[in-house]
Amino acid sequence: MDEEPIFKISKYKIAENDLPAFHRIEEAHVTNSIPAEPGTLMIANGHEGVSGVTNYDIELYRNSKAFDIHSMSDYFDAYDNAVEKMAKEKKIWDLKSEWMTTKSKEALDSYADNFVIRFAKVELKKGKHDKFARIVKKEMRNSMAKEPGVEILFAGSNVGNPDEWLFFEVYANNDAYNKHVNTPWFGEYIDDSKNIVENKELHDIVRDTMAVQGPIVME
């Protein structure tokens, strides 16, 4: 990547009666972006829970110019307007890209119907960003290299608070996820970081739409 990438994760609460319309606009936003915009590296949307009112948007752009091009599109305007109109609650994290890897687009497509997706937020003790980065990047490097079922690992630290990290992780299926959390390198990550982690959230996400230029590699 030629410049600092733009990495955003957004969380929206959408009323149930607005969900069908929201998902139609959401799908158009995602599926139109990747073919037309080489600098839009990935956009994914998913929801949490049976009701589906809690929605997540994950975006990765090659650089600020790529994001500017995307933000001038009609489909982005439609999506942005839908969020403004329909979202009862909204939270957007602007993130520093710490780790970005995906398998090939073909590999992702072959597993798409069975994806297991996790969104995680980790809050560290003050000033522990660099130590945590070394620990988690070692775990991610092993996971991508040694686990065929690990499809996407994204990690970013909050631009406004480097001790807050967000993760977007995609696994081929439940078996791949269960194997992952029982690997030696995942256990080592848990042990090595337990004294510097203040709080941790883990959310199960159901995929709605996802488009990737792929493969993406940024360590």
Side-chain angles (χ1 to χ4, degrees):
M1 297 185 183
D2 50 350
E3 294 178 29
E4 184 71 21
I6 303 296
F7 180 30
K8 293 175 176 288
I9 296 181
S10 306
K11 180 179 180 180
Y12 308 125
K13 290 287 185 72
I14 307 293
E16 286 192 61
N17 60 323
D18 285 331
L19 284 171
F22 180 75
H23 287 317
R24 286 194 298 271
I25 296 169
E26 180 183 65
E27 183 175 4
H29 173 228
V30 174
T31 57
N32 282 310
S33 300
I34 296 296
E37 303 170 6
T40 299
L41 301 182
M42 192 189 86
I43 301 181
N45 302 112
H47 65 272
E48 182 178 11
V50 176
S51 68
V53 299
T54 302
N55 290 262
Y56 294 87
D57 184 19
I58 295 88
E59 306 167 75
L60 180 65
Y61 305 92
R62 186 176 301 278
N63 49 38
S64 58
K65 182 179 179 181
F67 177 70
D68 289 343
I69 290 171
H70 174 76
S71 64
M72 290 186 289
S73 66
D74 291 341
Y75 37 86
F76 174 82
D77 281 345
Y79 181 69
D80 194 45
N81 289 336
V83 169
E84 288 301 315
K85 179 181 178 181
M86 299 179 186
K88 306 304 180 186
E89 297 177 25
K90 179 170 65 173
K91 171 68 177 177
I92 299 174
W93 290 273
D94 290 310
L95 301 166
K96 177 181 182 292
S97 300
E98 299 282 359
W99 181 282
M100 304 280 148
T101 50
T102 75
K103 298 289 175 62
S104 69
K105 183 178 183 300
E106 293 75 17
L108 293 173
D109 288 345
S110 67
Y111 290 112
D113 290 339
N114 297 311
F115 277 161
V116 169
I117 302 176
R118 298 289 187 265
F119 165 72
K121 183 160 73 77
V122 175
E123 298 172 18
L124 306 174
K125 293 181 179 178
K126 186 174 176 60
K128 297 300 182 181
H129 169 277
D130 292 351
K131 182 175 181 179
F132 184 74
R134 290 191 294 271
I135 294 168
V136 77
K137 289 179 182 182
K138 179 181 177 182
E139 183 268 334
M140 288 183 158
R141 188 173 293 110
N142 276 313
S143 298
M144 293 302 296
K146 299 177 182 180
E147 297 179 60
V150 177
E151 303 300 313
I152 298 175
L153 292 180
F154 281 10
S157 56
N158 190 331
V159 170
N161 175 14
D163 293 321
E164 180 181 63
W165 285 59
L166 275 71
F167 297 85
F168 175 70
E169 305 176 355
V170 178
Y171 303 89
N173 48 41
N174 274 307
D175 185 55
Y177 176 73
N178 291 332
K179 286 180 179 178
H180 169 71
V181 297
N182 285 288
T183 58
W185 41 91
F186 185 81
E188 184 177 339
Y189 153 70
I190 295 296
D191 288 342
D192 290 348
S193 64
K194 63 184 178 182
N195 292 327
I196 62 173
V197 170
E198 290 276 18
N199 188 49
K200 186 183 297 183
E201 296 179 15
L202 183 63
H203 302 264
D204 296 337
I205 306 300
V206 178
R207 177 181 64 91
D208 291 320
T209 54
M210 181 185 298
V212 184
Q213 297 286 0
I216 300 167
V217 179
M218 190 197 80
E219 301 181 9

